[in-house]
Amino acid sequence: MLVFAALALTIAGCVYLYLASPNQKWLVQALPGRPALVAGGLLLAAGLAAWITVLRPLAGFFVTLHVAMVCLFAFPYIAALRGKGRRN
Amino acid sequence: MANEICLDWWGKASAGAILGLGLALSLVGLYAYLGPGGIDAPGGRYSLMRYLEVFVWVAVFGFCFLFRSGRAAWAWLGAANLIAFTTLFACRFYFFV
Amino acid sequence: MIRADIIKLYKTVHTWTGITCGFALFIAFYAGALTMFQEPIARWASPPAVGVAAVPLDDAPRLLELVAAAHPEAREEGIKLHLRGYENEPARVTWEEDESHEAGQPHGHVHWWATLKPDGSLLAKQEEPSELAEFINTIHMRIGIPEPWGSYFMGVVSLLYGVALIAGVIVLLPSLVKDFLALRVGRNLKRMWLDAHNVVGITALPFHIAMAITATALSLSHELWSLQEAVIFGGKQAILDERDNEPFRAPKPIGEAGAMMAPSQLLQRLKAQVPDFEPKVMIFKNIGDKAASVRVAGAERGYVGDTHLGGVMLSAVTGELLKDSTRPSRQDPDRRASETFYGLHSGQYEGATITWAYFFLGFSGAWLFYSGNLLWIETRRKKACKGGELPEQRRDTYWLGAGTVGVCLGCVAGLSLTIVAAKWLYGRVDDLNHWHEYIYYAVFFGSVVWAFAWGAARSAVHLLWLCAAATMAIPLTTLLAVLFPALGMWAHGSAATIGVDVVAFIGALCFAWMAVATTRRIRNGPTDSIWSIRKADGDTVPHKPAATPAE
């Protein structure tokens, strides 16, 4: 159960980080930079803490890192594909 | 550093590949002798060392193109190799025989 | 601010290292992504067998006893007792024996399994298991080049991949913050491919750095170890190596008979002494001897690299812990660090989350090299002037385009078809494990030849449809096996094997979508590109809008 919470927190943190980026393509306007970055950072930290509780510190850190990497390269592609679908 | 950095592709790349490996082996060798537990540390060490060697090797190879010329790369990296190998062999043949 | 000449220099470095290594790295990453599901693929490809369930764990002592009596070599080398009931475990116990060979010569192994007949007597059979999953792993490790050249080659490629990463990041530094997470789709194709390439490269940078270092170290292990021995250890490494192997070595038999403890009891003793250990398989040696031992391989959760080399050894007579320094929590710090590097390479920690994350990261890596080649071609594209004639594109962009399409899609289609062959050819050919190789190489080289014969644009569409069809054949084969049992194929019901079919189904849809998109591109896209077929058809008539009424 805690695994799902950890995964959800990590992904949610990445969503905030992505939406805070001026280059995001999901919303018409990016979320206000600093608050969104702080929110994303806190969510990621909570995710990291949850992963560490499930596993151990090192493994928890690497799981958070790898999930975050997948999210951060996937979100721009999802946005681009959605944008393409809308245009056609 | 006002003068232009030259490409000198082969000179730099050969220095990075050859002297990078030399520097990797000698620095990681120093870790083997001077790291915790010394040269007789439990057996996991020689297995770990290949990763550390590649880390140094890639870093030297990757950044060696910042030298001004192939000759400079060979000179600086050669000197670094000389010092590192001297220390390593001092450890191996003199201090920890 | 970085000087422009340094950027320019590293752009050259990045281009050359990237173009020379891109093909090999694509194959390594695509096959590597598949090896994240090595076990499910092995289970999918394993024919129905007696299985572990045929002999309950309580009857295992008798089975072990009979095997040890009838097969002295197995008793000495180790009899595996399987615990999980996966489809790739043909029976409750299996073992390997040496092929007949001259002493000291290299030789292969033959595989045996054994079970109990209803009357309680022994049924042992020699049968070679499917090596499909191992074959995918060798393609991942050495892209199909025979040893030792494959390891040398991939070692050098991985080293240059590390250099390319450093160079790529340096080139990107000036625009790193401004363009982070940007993927601008639009008229500027070069911009789009550059973004598409950068976004996967930069966001997954820690993964790529870890892969470059560990892949080089793993490919060149033997060479680095000999160098270490020569330069650093000077004879001591053999002693360390010996000390390192000691915890895996079973005690020598003493020749006195002893009563064996039952496996279920041994597992209880293990649980009491090492609570956090998840056993997968037990390997018995010298059954019947007072010094008989059992090594239990398994995972200790929570550690990076939680299974590789891990395990504990118990006495098979008393259940006491004999050797316990190879599981993660007992490894010395250097061994732990080394296993952490290995775990980071193979994604061997946590569980499903990491397996899927590495699967996607592996594909993103393959895409990184594919898009890098596309970017190289796009950068060298000669654009048509307004109203002018179409310029002749550079020959090297033709060749690189065709090579990229042939090698990458050939690898994808070859792997899918060789997976399908595991079910179609089982029982129909003598040496299925060699057929996996023939099929892969035939499709791979065939695709490369096809790509050069038809050119990048046309062959991309053909080969993408081939990829889609070959990958769709994986779930279709399973479906046919269910509908027509007379075909002699099988469909396992476990979630892992159904997962293989589902993932293949989704993958096939992705390839089909790419084929449709590519068809549109080569027909309707800008003509001044190697990705267009219009000029090649002598189609000088201005392109009409698609919605021409059919009168």
Side-chain angles (χ1 to χ4, degrees), chain A residues 11-81:
Chain A
I11 295 174
C14 292
V15 169
Y16 268 91
L17 291 191
Y18 179 66
L19 293 181
S21 160
N23 293 318
Q24 64 83 25
K25 290 273 170 60
W26 277 3
L27 306 175
V28 181
Q29 205 173 4
L31 293 180
R34 192 161 302 233
L37 280 182
V38 171
L42 285 176
L43 283 167
L44 271 183
L48 176 65
W51 280 119
I52 289 177
T53 321
V54 179
L55 304 160
R56 293 168 49 81
L58 192 65
F61 168 73
F62 282 129
V63 176
T64 315
L65 180 68
H66 283 89
V67 173
M69 284 194 274
V70 172
C71 292
L72 288 182
F73 81 70
F75 292 161
Y77 273 91
I78 295 170
L81 292 178

Side-chain angles (χ1 to χ4, degrees), chain B residues 31 33 45-47 50 62 92, chain C residues 10 221 231-232 241 334 338:
Chain B
Y31 164 72
Y33 278 95
R45 178 156 295 172
Y46 81 86
S47 169
R50 60 187 156 159
R92 180 172 153 190
Chain C
Y10 270 103
S221 280
V231 177
I232 301 166
D241 196 11
D334 288 56
S338 170

Side-chain angles (χ1 to χ4, degrees), chain B residues 1-7 9 12 17 21 25-26 28-33 36 39-55 57-59 61-66 85 88-89 92 96-97, chain C residues 3 5-6 9-10 12-13 16-17 158-160 162-163 166-167 170 209 212-214 216-218 220-221 224-225 227-234 236-237 240-241 243-245 332-335 337-339 341-342:
Chain B
M1 293 288 282
N3 41 352
E4 188 90 333
I5 197 164
C6 48
L7 181 56
W9 174 250
K12 289 182 188 177
L21 177 61
L25 278 169
S26 48
V28 176
L30 282 174
Y31 164 72
Y33 278 95
I39 194 69
D40 297 317
R45 178 156 295 172
Y46 81 86
S47 169
L48 168 68
M49 283 163 61
R50 60 187 156 159
Y51 298 108
L52 304 179
E53 281 153 9
V54 170
F55 184 81
W57 193 9
V58 168
F61 200 166
F63 288 107
C64 76
F65 298 98
L66 290 173
F85 269 109
L88 173 67
F89 288 141
R92 180 172 153 190
F96 300 96
V97 181
Chain C
R3 284 162 37 188
D5 55 335
I6 293 181
L9 178 122
Y10 270 103
T12 313
V13 174
W16 277 100
T17 46
S158 312
L159 182 72
L160 293 177
V163 174
I166 294 177
I170 292 178
I209 292 174
I213 289 173
T214 50
T216 314
L218 291 167
L220 297 178
S221 280
L224 287 172
W225 278 337
L227 280 172
Q228 277 179 196
E229 175 72 340
V231 177
I232 301 166
F233 288 100
K236 283 197 181 118
Q237 188 166 277
L240 290 175
D241 196 11
R243 206 193 299 165
D244 212 27
N245 285 331
D332 60 86
D334 288 56
R335 162 67 63 198
S338 170
E339 289 298 297
F341 274 111
Y342 184 81

Side-chain angles (χ1 to χ4, degrees), chain C residues 319-340:
Chain C
E320 259 171 71
L321 214 50
L322 288 180
K323 291 182 179 175
D324 185 29
S325 58
T326 58
R327 67 187 163 106
S329 61
R330 294 296 171 91
Q331 287 161 350
D332 60 86
D334 288 56
R335 162 67 63 198
R336 193 82 283 281
S338 170
E339 289 298 297
T340 300

